[in-house]
């Protein structure tokens, strides 16, 4: 029975893999090309062979990497973070503990680096993936890890159309080139047999001539990786459960358990519920099948770029930069070839004009060499210079047009890149930078949606697996303390928001510029300056922590001044009351004199 179940699962996984591979074939070719262009590999093998035959230089002006690097730099300077806010009263400390735990896990797992790497994949090819998992080989209790995943290893529900594949019913990762020992170390009780199932070529891209030994008959594709494949398949099934009303609130039980309850059964509502699962395979052998560690979503999370509605795939910035990059390289290579050819010139000669034809061919274009001709050959008109070809008019304008298309097609102006070589008002430059950021909103929307989905998975991991009493770091460098994570404190309901991290340099500069103008007004109004204000200052973190600690400690001199000020205010108030009483008594005395006349 178990064997039949594994065969059905393996068949279903293979069918979905083939269906997605056929659906994303063109996208994978484009994605591999995008990564190659950003890395500077922008000539195909056939084009390089043609250039070598024509003695032309395969010039590469890698402007694509500048634009991709500018967008990823903006993300690094404006990083986001997930925050959990209170939904129910009386749980403020639990939410603070959750936020501290998330910051601690992200710092321990170097999550910022992996998120930025995945964001670079999004900008380049349209999709960036990460995996969240527990690592036990470094810590028996498990360390939470967040790692970037190569987009070309990923497969997904081809019917999904929502941003970040939020409506996908399954996702799949296929790792190639694993050794038998690597798989047996994790599943020692399973037999690992070689199989060609799930063998695809993840790096479908024109190859480099220097790596020709890696290729076989097909000269357009890189040879697949040797070794075993490991399939990681995640999906969810929809199950129906019964929500039963109890004095303590709603309780969830299975339909079978509800039927076993004695009559009269309590009132209940039948509702659908997702159950997330995961399976591992090598070849057609199922190694493991179990529930996902978290039931809030897939641990393979994705951020998506622009959506191609007709093909139902996602693409990034490189799709619009292919043509400007190709034309820039080809036009400059052609111009360089024309200039080199015209500089050397050519010659029309009869065969008996030279004493040594080979020596004439080698020395004719060299100005520091003598080319020996037969006596009378020059006077007899046996030698005649070729008329050099005219330089094509407008070739340089075409090159300038191709270069100018980079900001045009990407929407990123030179101010956003920091390459505007002109003097203009600071207000105008700030407005142009903001306009460039508006064009890039699609990329930051993708990572914002990803942060929300990944934040729910991260919170569930922390609540289920890290709340075992382990200590987490809370506070800054000078106020550092360690607090145990306890499960009863983590059983909370929360709202999740995505905000810019206070550690973001751009966020600090903007907020601190406003605070420098606002703080004097607040101080004059008598409002206190809270220590959290210092989090947005561009000062060194160690100085910020010391300053915050000093602000939180009582200041005797300030307290004395405050007491003196309060005493003065009280004396002034008493003096005013005395004067008012005296004035009232005088008024009453004058009134009595007037009455008694």
């Amino acid at each position: 029975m178990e064997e039949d179940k594994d065969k059905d699962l393996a068949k279903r996984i293979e069918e979905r893999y083939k269906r997605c591979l056929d659906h994303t074939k063109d996208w994978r070719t484009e994605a591999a090309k995008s990564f190659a262009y950003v890395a500077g590999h922008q000539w195909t093998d056939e084009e390089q062979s043609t250039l070598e035959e024509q003695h032309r230089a395969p010039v590469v002006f890698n402007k694509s990497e500048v634009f991709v690097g500018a967008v990823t730099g903006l993300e690094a300077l404006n990083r986001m973070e997930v925050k959990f806010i209170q939904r129910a009263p009386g749980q403020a400390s639990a939410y603070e503990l959750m936020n501290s735990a998330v910051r601690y896990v992200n710092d321990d797992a170097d999550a910022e680096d992996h998120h930025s790497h995945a964001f670079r994949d999004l900008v380049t090819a349209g999709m960036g993936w990460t995996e969240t998992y527990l690592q036990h080989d470094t810590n028996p209790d498990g360390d939470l890890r967040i790692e970037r995943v190569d987009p070309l290893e990923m497969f997904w529900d081809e019917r999904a159309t929502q941003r970040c594949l939020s409506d996908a019913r399954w996702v799949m990762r296929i790792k190639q080139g694993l050794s038998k020992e690597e798989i047996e170390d994790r599943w020692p009780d399973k037999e690992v047999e070689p199989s060609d199932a799930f063998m695809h070529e993840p790096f479908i891209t024109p190859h480099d001539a220097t790596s020709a030994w890696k290729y076989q008959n097909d000269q357009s594709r890189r040879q697949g990786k040797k070794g075993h494949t490991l399939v990681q398949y995640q999906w969810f099934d929809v199950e129906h459960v019964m929500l039963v009303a109890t004095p303590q609130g709603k309780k969830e039980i299975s339909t079978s358990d509800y039927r076993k309850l004695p009559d009269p059964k309590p009132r209940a509502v039948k509702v659908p519920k997702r159950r997330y699962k995961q399976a591992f395979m090598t070849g057609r052998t199922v190694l493991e099948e179990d529930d996902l560690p978290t039931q809030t979503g897939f641990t393979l999370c994705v951020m998506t770029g622009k959506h191609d509605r007709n093909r139902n795939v996602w693409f990034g910035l490189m799709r619009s930069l292919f043509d400007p990059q190709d034309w820039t390289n080809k036009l400059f290579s052609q111009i360089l070839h024309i200039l080199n050819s015209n500089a050397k010139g050519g010659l029309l000669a009869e065969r008996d004009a030279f004493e040594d034809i080979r020596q004439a061919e080698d020395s004719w274009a060299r100005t520091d060499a003598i080319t020996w001709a037969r006596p009378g050959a020059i006077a007899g008109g046996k030698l005649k210079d070729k008329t050099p070809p005219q330089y094509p008019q407008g070739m340089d304008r075409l090159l300038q047009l191709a270069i100018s298309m980079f900001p045009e097609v990407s929407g990123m102006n030179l101010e956003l890149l920091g390459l505007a070589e002109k003097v203009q008002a600071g207000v105008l430059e700030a407005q142009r930078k903001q306009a460039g950021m508006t064009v890039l909103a699609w990329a930051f929307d993708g990572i914002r949606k990803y942060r929300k989905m990944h934040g729910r998975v991260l919170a569930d991991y922390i609540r289920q697996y890290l709340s075992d009493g382990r200590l987490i770091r809370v506070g800054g460098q000078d106020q550092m303390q360690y607090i145990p994570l306890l499960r009863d404190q983590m059983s909370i309901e929360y709202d999740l928001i995505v905000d810019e991290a206070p550690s973001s340099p751009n966020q600090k500069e903007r907020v601190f510029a406003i605070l420098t103008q606002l703080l004097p007004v607040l101080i004059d109004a008598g409002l206190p300056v809270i220590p959290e204000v210092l989090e947005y200052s561009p000062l060194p973190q160690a100085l910020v922590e010391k300053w915050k600690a000093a602000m939180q400690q009582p200041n005797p001199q300030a307290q004395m001044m405050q007491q003196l000020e309060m005493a003065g205010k009280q004396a002034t108030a008493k003096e005013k009351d005395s004067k008012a009483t005296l004035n009232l008594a005088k008024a009453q005395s004058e009134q009595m004199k007037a009455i008694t006349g």
Side-chain angles (χ1 to χ4, degrees):
M1 187 66 179
E2 188 70 24
E3 184 177 353
D4 293 339
K5 182 181 178 181
D6 289 346
K7 288 182 178 179
D8 292 340
L9 177 60
K11 182 179 179 181
R12 180 175 34 151
I13 294 175
E14 189 169 2
E15 288 176 352
R16 290 183 170 180
Y17 155 76
K18 291 180 179 179
R19 195 165 62 237
C20 181
L21 181 63
D22 182 67
H23 175 77
T24 60
K25 179 174 58 177
D26 294 337
W27 175 84
R28 294 179 185 280
T29 303
E30 180 183 298
K33 181 180 177 182
S34 299
F35 288 118
Y37 268 53
V38 171
H41 308 298
Q42 298 172 0
W43 294 95
T44 66
D45 182 60
E46 291 76 9
E47 289 171 338
Q48 286 189 357
S49 299
T50 303
L51 292 177
E52 290 175 0
E53 292 174 0
Q54 298 175 356
H55 302 286
R56 291 170 53 184
V59 180
V60 173
F61 286 162
N62 193 4
K63 294 181 69 67
S64 302
E65 201 280 332
V66 175
F67 284 80
V68 172
V71 182
T72 54
L74 288 173
E75 187 274 334
L77 294 177
N78 297 274
R79 284 198 169 107
M80 303 175 184
E81 70 174 1
V82 176
K83 293 183 179 179
F84 301 89
I85 60 177
Q86 178 176 344
R87 179 180 293 179
Q91 295 181 344
S93 59
Y95 289 95
E96 293 173 1
L97 186 61
M98 176 65 80
N99 288 322
S100 298
V102 170
R103 285 193 294 268
Y104 174 76
V105 167
N106 285 331
D107 183 59
D108 184 59
D110 298 325
E112 288 184 349
D113 298 332
H114 293 281
H115 288 151
S116 294
H117 196 169
F119 183 77
R120 184 178 177 89
D121 293 338
L122 176 148
V123 176
T124 303
M127 302 185 85
W129 291 81
T130 63
E131 182 183 7
T132 305
Y133 64 95
L134 280 172
Q135 185 177 21
H136 291 279
D137 54 355
T138 57
N139 182 1
D141 295 330
D143 290 325
L144 203 54
R145 292 290 176 255
I146 303 165
E147 291 187 357
R148 173 256 181 187
V149 177
D150 189 341
L152 294 176
E153 293 181 354
M154 295 305 304
F155 297 78
W156 59 90
D157 187 355
E158 72 281 357
R159 299 171 298 174
T161 59
Q162 299 298 321
R163 187 186 297 274
C164 296
L165 302 181
S166 59
D167 57 337
R169 296 184 63 91
W170 60 271
V171 294
M172 185 187 308
R173 180 186 183 186
I174 299 181
K175 296 177 65 175
Q176 296 187 7
L178 297 179
S179 65
K180 183 178 180 181
E181 290 75 16
E182 289 178 290
I183 298 177
E184 289 179 343
D185 286 344
R186 184 168 179 180
W187 294 279
D189 299 332
K190 297 290 184 178
E191 294 185 4
V192 180
E193 298 179 357
S195 173
D196 59 352
F198 304 99
M199 286 295 293
H200 65 283
E201 299 186 15
F203 304 105
I204 304 174
T205 178
H207 63 265
D208 186 359
T210 59
S211 301
W213 59 274
K214 297 179 181 178
Y215 299 83
Q216 293 181 344
N217 296 330
D218 186 358
Q219 292 296 308
S220 65
R221 297 189 175 195
R222 191 180 299 274
Q223 191 175 3
K225 293 183 178 180
K226 300 296 184 181
H228 295 268
T229 60
L230 179 63
V231 181
Q232 182 181 3
Y233 175 64
Q234 297 182 358
W235 78 102
F236 69 83
D237 293 329
V238 177
E239 300 177 349
H240 287 84
V241 297
M242 306 299 293
L243 288 182
V244 181
T246 64
Q248 293 77 23
K250 295 181 180 178
K251 183 179 179 181
E252 180 184 301
I253 63 174
S254 64
T255 53
S256 58
D257 291 340
Y258 180 75
R259 296 191 190 99
K260 297 177 182 178
L261 294 177
D263 293 328
K265 292 182 174 60
R267 192 171 182 180
V269 179
K270 189 175 183 180
V271 295
K273 181 183 179 181
R274 291 184 179 184
R275 183 180 178 186
Y276 288 89
K277 299 181 180 181
Q278 178 174 248
F280 290 91
M281 289 178 54
T282 179
R284 292 181 174 86
T285 303
V286 177
L287 302 172
E288 178 185 336
E289 179 190 357
D290 201 355
D291 290 343
L292 265 178
T294 172
Q295 290 297 311
T296 55
F298 300 126
T299 60
L300 291 167
C301 299
V302 61
M303 56 185 80
T304 55
K306 299 179 181 180
H307 185 229
D308 185 339
R309 182 262 179 194
N310 292 342
R311 297 182 179 180
N312 194 23
V313 293
W314 282 262
F315 63 95
L317 189 64
M318 278 305 304
R319 175 179 285 190
S320 60
L321 297 179
F322 282 146
D323 286 343
Q325 185 67 73
D326 285 339
W327 282 105
T328 298
N329 294 339
K330 292 177 181 179
L331 284 171
F332 188 81
S333 178
Q334 181 67 20
I335 291 174
L336 190 63
H337 176 64
I338 293 174
L339 294 177
N340 289 338
S341 301
N342 290 352
K344 294 180 179 179
L347 178 69
L348 294 174
E350 296 183 12
R351 289 185 176 275
D352 60 349
F354 298 104
E355 293 183 354
D356 188 344
I357 296 178
R358 181 65 60 86
Q359 188 268 343
E361 291 175 349
D362 294 338
S363 62
W364 181 260
R366 294 170 52 190
T367 58
D368 59 346
I370 299 176
T371 303
W372 297 103
R374 294 183 182 277
I378 299 176
K382 292 187 176 183
L383 301 177
K384 182 180 179 182
D385 290 332
K386 284 185 178 180
T387 303
Q390 295 293 324
Y391 178 78
Q393 296 296 321
M395 181 74 78
D396 52 346
R397 292 195 296 272
L398 286 176
L399 178 60
Q400 291 297 327
L401 177 64
I403 295 176
S404 66
M405 282 296 104
F406 281 93
E408 293 289 338
V409 300
S410 65
M412 298 175 60
N413 50 44
L414 297 180
E415 285 79 5
L416 191 61
L417 299 174
L419 300 176
E421 298 179 356
K422 56 184 176 181
V423 179
Q424 57 185 352
V427 175
L428 176 60
E429 185 162 353
Q431 290 176 347
R432 289 183 60 82
K433 285 184 177 180
Q434 187 61 39
M437 287 289 293
T438 303
V439 177
L440 298 174
W442 57 271
F444 293 94
D445 280 347
I447 193 172
R448 183 179 294 274
K449 178 67 176 293
Y450 159 83
R451 288 279 192 177
K452 290 182 179 180
M453 298 175 64
H454 180 261
R456 298 185 185 100
V457 173
L458 194 61
D460 197 45
Y461 258 118
I462 294 173
R463 185 163 46 192
Q464 297 295 334
Y465 300 98
L466 300 189
S467 57
D468 52 5
R470 70 180 65 190
L471 299 177
I472 65 164
R473 185 177 65 251
V474 178
Q477 187 175 5
D478 291 341
Q479 294 180 320
M480 186 185 304
Q481 56 179 327
Y482 285 84
I483 299 177
L485 275 179
L486 301 176
R487 183 159 299 178
D488 56 349
Q489 296 178 353
M490 308 301 293
S491 300
I492 58 176
E493 293 184 358
Y494 57 82
D495 288 330
L496 187 148
I497 61 173
V498 179
D499 196 7
E500 285 190 76
S503 59
S504 168
N506 282 7
Q507 173 79 347
K508 283 188 174 183
E509 291 178 3
R510 290 195 301 267
V511 174
F512 199 71
I514 298 173
L515 287 176
T516 54
Q517 301 176 6
L518 189 60
L519 283 177
V521 179
L522 297 177
I523 294 174
D524 293 340
L527 296 177
V529 179
I530 59 177
E532 285 74 11
V533 170
L534 295 174
E535 291 289 346
Y536 294 91
S537 68
L539 299 173
Q541 188 63 30
L543 179 59
V544 169
E545 296 297 335
K546 291 180 180 180
W547 205 343
K548 287 171 61 178
M551 293 177 64
Q552 292 174 351
Q553 292 177 357
N555 189 341
Q557 185 176 1
Q559 289 181 351
M560 183 180 297
M561 293 297 295
Q562 187 177 6
Q563 290 174 0
L564 291 175
E565 185 179 356
M566 290 296 297
K569 289 182 178 180
Q570 291 176 359
T572 303
K574 290 181 179 179
E575 183 180 357
K576 290 181 179 180
D577 290 342
S578 300
K579 289 182 179 181
T581 304
L582 181 60
N583 292 334
L584 180 60
K586 288 181 179 180
Q588 291 176 351
S589 176
E590 293 293 335
Q591 185 178 9
M592 290 300 295
K593 287 180 180 180
I595 294 174
T596 58

